[in-house]
Amino acid sequence: NAGVTQTPKFRVLKTGQSMTLLCAQDMNHEYMYWYRQDPGMGLRLIHYSVGEGTTAKGEVPDGYNVSRLKKQNFLLGLESAAPSQTSVYFCASSPDPRVNTEAFFGQGTRLTVV
Amino acid sequence: GEDVEQSLFLSVREGDSSVINCTYTDSSSTYLYWYKQEPGAGLQLLTYIFSNMDMKQDQRLTVLLNKKDKHLSLRIADTQTGDSAIYFCAESSYSSASKIIFGSGTRLSIRP
């Protein structure tokens, strides 16, 4: 059981380049989340999804887009990367929170924008 | 909006108890969580408590909730070197159960 898998694990981008981070979960979870982790700031929610075909903005959505075309995948896109987007990105998924609120996390993607 | 606050660092001697504190602002919080992050890894749920509870104990872990003061604590008894990690407090509510709000994390280091 793989759980939550993020690809890639590391990436270096030049300012202005674009990229897509992929998150895949095999637990049939409805909810999926993208967070960024910066020193001293904890995890900040970028975007989230409450089901296939739905997305919603979190605390810090600017500069990012997401898509949830399939239930098991949640993609995070950076259209024009900026140095301020240098961070560690975590994807998470959870079942219906009315039943179980535990969130399962991927291993993270370390992104550096130069 | 919702906010969760923690101190950034805690250092304890091996074998002592560690107490990590957290305050939150959302009075409608339903679930309060403690997650653990080891170096280079994602977060793993340690324990959680419903807002209608005052205390929850799970082996070496004790969670205390003071709902009036919106204060949550995690006590780790007999702290071991394997407990070195960053501990995150988090909360969610029925009204926004799709969002889990995290604190900044407390880095726990163990002295021999």
Side-chain angles (χ1 to χ4, degrees):
Chain A
N1 189 343
V4 179
T5 304
Q6 291 181 232
T7 51
K9 290 186 171 48
F10 304 93
R11 185 71 186 268
V12 178
L13 282 181
K14 292 183 179 178
T15 299
Q17 284 186 317
S18 63
M19 79 163 293
T20 301
L21 283 67
L22 172 64
C23 177
Q25 53 98 0
D26 60 2
M27 296 172 283
N28 201 35
H29 286 168
E30 290 292 336
Y31 291 69
M32 296 188 75
Y33 316 83
W34 276 107
Y35 290 90
R36 59 178 289 174
Q37 183 180 22
D38 302 292
M41 301 189 74
L43 272 73
R44 291 182 292 169
L45 183 64
I46 304 171
H47 286 280
Y48 63 101
S49 168
V50 302
E52 181 179 314
T54 74
T55 63
K57 293 180 180 179
E59 298 173 75
V60 289
D62 294 342
Y64 304 95
N65 57 74
V66 287
S67 64
R68 184 97 181 269
L69 297 179
K70 292 183 179 180
K71 187 177 184 180
Q72 63 268 34
N73 296 334
F74 195 30
L75 279 63
L76 179 71
L78 286 74
E79 288 186 351
S80 179
S84 60
Q85 294 178 303
T86 293
S87 187
V88 180
Y89 291 85
F90 285 99
C91 175
S93 71
S94 66
D96 183 340
R98 293 169 296 182
V99 177
N100 182 341
T101 61
E102 179 177 357
F104 295 81
F105 282 80
Q107 294 297 298
T109 297
R110 186 174 293 276
L111 175 66
T112 303
V113 182
V114 298
Chain B
E2 309 96 335
D3 194 20
V4 179
E5 294 191 356
Q6 306 174 237
S7 54
L8 291 180
F9 301 99
L10 177 67
S11 176
V12 299
R13 195 180 302 277
E14 187 175 3
D16 287 353
S17 291
S18 305
V19 180
I20 303 171
N21 295 302
C22 168
T23 57
Y24 60 97
T25 58
D26 187 357
S27 58
S28 66
S29 292
T30 307
Y31 305 96
L32 295 133
Y33 314 83
W34 285 104
Y35 279 82
K36 178 182 181 182
Q37 183 183 32
E38 296 184 348
L43 280 69
Q44 284 191 302
L45 181 67
L46 271 182
T47 185
Y48 67 93
I49 188 168
F50 291 107
S51 59
N52 62 357
M53 298 169 64
D54 297 324
M55 185 182 88
K56 182 178 181 181
Q57 187 150 6
D58 183 3
Q59 299 183 328
R60 292 192 297 122
L61 304 179
T62 303
V63 178
L64 295 177
L65 175 60
N66 181 329
K67 196 172 180 182
K68 174 176 169 288
D69 295 337
K70 300 190 185 70
H71 182 268
L72 183 74
S73 68
L74 174 69
R75 178 176 179 269
I76 306 173
D78 186 25
T79 309
Q80 303 298 309
T81 54
D83 295 324
S84 292
I86 302 176
Y87 291 82
F88 289 91
C89 173
E91 63 92 15
S92 65
S93 65
Y94 274 129
S95 62
S96 64
S98 52
K99 293 189 294 182
I100 305 173
I101 307 298
F102 287 84
S104 56
T106 299
R107 184 180 295 275
L108 176 63
S109 60
I110 315 302
R111 306 190 303 272

